[in-house]
Amino acid sequence: MATKKILLSENDIPTSWYNIVADMVNKPLPPLHPGTKQPLKPQDLEPIFAKELINQELSQERWIEIPDEVRELYKIWRPTPLVRASSLEKALDTPAHIYFKNEGLSPVGSHKLNSALPQAYYNKKQGIKSLTTETGAGQWGTALAFACSVFGLNLDVFMVKVSYNQKPYRRIMMQTWGAGVVSSPSDTTEAGRKILARDPENSGSLGIAISEAIEKAIKSDNTRYTLGSVLNHVILHQTIIGLEAEKQMEMAGEYPEIVIGCFGGGSNFSGISFPFLRHRLTSGKAIRIIASEPRSCPKLTRGRFEYDFGDTVGLTPLLPMYTLGHDFQPADIHAGGLRYHGAGPLVSQLRKDGYVEVQDIPQLESFEAGELFARTEGTIPAPESTHAIASAIREAKKAKEEGKSKVILFNLSGHGLIDMSAYDRFLSGKMTNYQLSDEEIARSLNCLEKLVP
Ligand SMILES: *Cc1c(COP(=O)(O)O)cnc(C)c1O
């Protein structure tokens, strides 16, 4: 019988994260100070982030050691299995071999805990008492809530209003782990009050929630802010996914020609793909990496490579990224974790240099893929993860048309058990695709004019 799951032991948990900056041909452009528009000095970031995380953000070292305390906690659910999607292959009648890494097995249900634990750890080590953050669908907030409870830190989470109202279960998870949760935009910050004054019905966005969380961190004692995606240090922590998968693919006696991840800000996509992209950068190995983004939030497909703010109000450093503009208000799609206007600087530079392929997936196609995956492999995927599945299916179908065997690896970034209302809409035929016109995109890109001369 063929092996279904390729398993590692706890001793195989990697001892270092991989920093792709060391191997990039063109290094990412530096972040700029939002006021002076000059390259940021590390100390500019110290009111916002823990020092060790700033060091990692700017590091050029290829390998960065994982602290023992963090590896110990990773053991709660890591290493995660690499699974051969044999039933999905059969349903597609494809000669392709499809593998997925199951990051939905973490206690919080997604890959986000891979970075939440080290972020909480480095803040604790520095003597910080409280953290703030934002969350969209609640995945990052739940991960950080658990990490803060493990390390004895207070946590305030600004949760995007549309999710706060539609998805109470992740709010309750965060509260179970001891975090405070505020619906964003809120009247507890200046940034939130400004937006509510303009638009009292505003349903919120990640960009707005980030503005609120940063403001709260800056104005509170011994408090720092944390971000669950986009930044280099977050992507660094997520490489544990691909580093484990690298060993597991070797055990399976195969090498993935295509590596796929769904794309919000880039953390799970980079996490699974960068350790493999390293083979292409350092030894010319032929490998394709595909970022799967929602057609309704197509920063990599239709955005511009420019300096832009990470948030809506303009409190973050200016980052070089593919962006739809910080004013972009994404449609209320069910993949809440993919509703973000920009792509992280590392992915953006690699995309610009031709290393990253993109597929933009309509909402209905993503849920059709999720349904087929659930009916074959059992796990009901997170709405975000269904985008990666849809791309894997596209590639598997292409392999069939071409009559070629192909090895495909994708990341199952999370399970969807707390997103059943989205599946309900899909199953009842009420789900729609969103059309995004060129005019809308041009309008939201307007805010980039003269941002950086
Ligand atoms: C947050 C989230 C994403 C998107 O974030 P990335 O940083 O792009 O990975 C994708 N899938 C799940 C399950 C998430 O929780």
Side-chain angles (χ1 to χ4, degrees):
M1 277 201 312
T3 304
K4 177 76 179 168
K5 297 191 300 304
I6 295 117
L7 303 171
L8 297 169
S9 77
E10 288 181 359
N11 292 331
D12 297 317
I13 295 177
T15 52
S16 298
W17 295 297
Y18 169 59
N19 181 10
I20 199 165
V21 175
D23 293 320
M24 284 168 70
V25 183
N26 296 315
K27 306 297 179 198
L29 299 172
L32 303 182
H33 189 285
T36 65
K37 315 223 162 147
Q38 294 301 307
L40 212 57
K41 296 192 235 14
Q43 55 272 33
D44 295 334
L45 287 170
E46 285 181 14
I48 304 181
F49 293 112
K51 281 184 198 155
E52 192 51 39
L53 295 170
I54 300 170
N55 290 342
Q56 293 182 353
E57 187 64 23
L58 305 172
S59 172
Q60 309 251 337
E61 293 287 319
R62 181 170 289 108
W63 299 101
I64 293 176
E65 199 175 316
I66 305 176
D68 283 342
E69 291 87 338
V70 173
R71 285 185 79 227
E72 205 54 49
L73 288 162
Y74 276 163
K75 286 184 191 168
I76 294 174
W77 79 104
R78 304 208 71 87
T80 61
L82 179 80
V83 185
R84 175 90 182 261
S86 41
S87 305
L88 177 64
E89 287 171 18
K90 205 186 284 171
L92 295 169
D93 188 27
T94 175
H97 294 186
I98 307 175
Y99 292 85
F100 67 93
K101 185 79 169 146
N102 192 349
E103 291 297 306
L105 293 175
S106 83
V108 303
S110 80
H111 68 287
K112 297 277 197 327
L113 197 54
N114 296 330
S115 185
L117 286 169
Q119 290 197 43
Y121 166 80
Y122 290 118
N123 274 285
K124 177 73 181 183
K125 209 172 145 210
Q126 190 180 314
I128 301 300
K129 297 280 185 246
S130 302
L131 296 180
T132 70
T133 199
E134 75 295 327
T135 196
Q139 297 270 27
W140 170 245
T142 55
L144 195 65
F146 174 58
C148 283
S149 92
V150 173
F151 287 107
L153 295 162
N154 299 316
L155 174 63
D156 284 305
V157 182
F158 291 87
M159 184 172 189
V160 176
K161 192 193 280 173
V162 56
S163 303
Y164 185 93
N165 292 334
Q166 286 177 3
K167 301 181 176 177
Y169 292 115
R170 289 219 178 81
R171 167 178 60 75
I172 301 166
M173 288 169 78
M174 290 185 257
Q175 290 164 334
T176 303
W177 281 310
V181 188
V182 180
S183 168
S184 165
S186 77
D187 59 8
T188 69
T189 66
E190 227 167 86
R193 286 192 292 271
K194 219 154 93 184
I195 283 159
L196 287 174
R198 224 170 40 209
D199 174 14
E201 300 306 314
N202 192 295
S203 60
S205 71
L206 274 178
I208 295 170
I210 294 173
S211 304
E212 291 205 273
I214 293 181
E215 183 185 325
K216 169 102 186 192
I218 293 173
K219 290 183 176 168
S220 312
D221 284 342
N222 215 357
T223 302
R224 293 293 183 278
Y225 165 74
T226 61
L227 191 64
S229 183
V230 179
L231 297 179
N232 303 0
H233 66 272
V234 184
I235 279 159
L236 174 78
H237 303 152
Q238 294 296 349
T239 58
I240 191 155
I241 305 170
L243 292 168
E244 284 180 6
E246 192 187 357
K247 288 188 201 172
Q248 288 162 311
M249 290 300 309
E250 224 176 275
M251 286 162 70
E254 302 224 67
Y255 189 84
E257 297 149 79
I258 304 175
V259 182
I260 301 168
C262 67
F263 200 92
S267 78
N268 90 89
F269 164 74
S270 308
I272 187 129
S273 67
F274 282 4
F276 290 98
L277 182 58
R278 154 174 137 256
H279 303 158
R280 178 165 163 195
L281 292 171
T282 59
S283 56
K285 191 113 185 153
I287 179 164
R288 295 168 55 203
I289 64 173
I290 302 176
S292 306
E293 63 181 8
R295 187 160 287 178
S296 58
C297 193
K299 64 219 111 190
L300 289 167
T301 312
R302 295 166 80 186
R304 270 207 328 240
F305 183 78
E306 293 268 5
Y307 271 103
D308 194 8
F309 293 112
D311 65 334
T312 301
V313 173
L315 296 176
T316 69
L318 288 154
L319 301 172
M321 46 189 199
Y322 277 92
T323 176
L324 294 161
H326 56 272
D327 281 344
F328 183 73
Q329 179 74 31
D332 289 346
I333 55 167
H334 292 279
L338 308 185
R339 293 174 78 245
Y340 182 68
H341 65 272
L346 294 178
V347 173
S348 292
Q349 185 63 48
L350 290 163
R351 163 92 175 128
K352 187 158 179 281
D353 292 342
Y355 291 103
V356 178
E357 285 178 47
V358 188
Q359 293 182 358
D360 58 330
I361 310 286
Q363 180 159 255
L364 284 169
E365 181 182 343
S366 78
F367 273 85
E368 281 157 13
E371 181 188 57
L372 179 62
F373 185 80
R375 290 184 182 183
T376 50
E377 296 300 326
T379 299
I380 298 179
E384 291 85 1
S385 315
T386 61
H387 292 74
I389 300 171
S391 287
I393 290 175
R394 283 186 186 185
E395 293 300 320
K397 285 182 172 165
K398 225 184 285 167
K400 184 180 177 185
E401 281 160 25
E402 293 165 359
K404 266 195 228 148
S405 178
K406 238 192 269 186
V407 181
I408 300 168
L409 167 65
F410 74 86
N411 192 41
L412 185 70
S413 53
H415 71 65
L417 294 180
I418 305 183
D419 302 282
M420 296 320 295
S421 60
Y423 279 88
D424 193 34
R425 279 192 79 77
F426 172 69
L427 294 169
S428 62
K430 288 186 195 136
M431 187 175 279
T432 53
N433 285 327
Y434 291 90
Q435 303 300 332
L436 187 58
S437 68
D438 289 339
E439 290 72 39
E440 269 173 276
I441 291 186
R443 216 177 312 127
S444 78
L445 285 172
N446 251 337
C447 66
L448 296 174
E449 294 303 326
K450 304 198 185 71
L451 203 54
V452 176

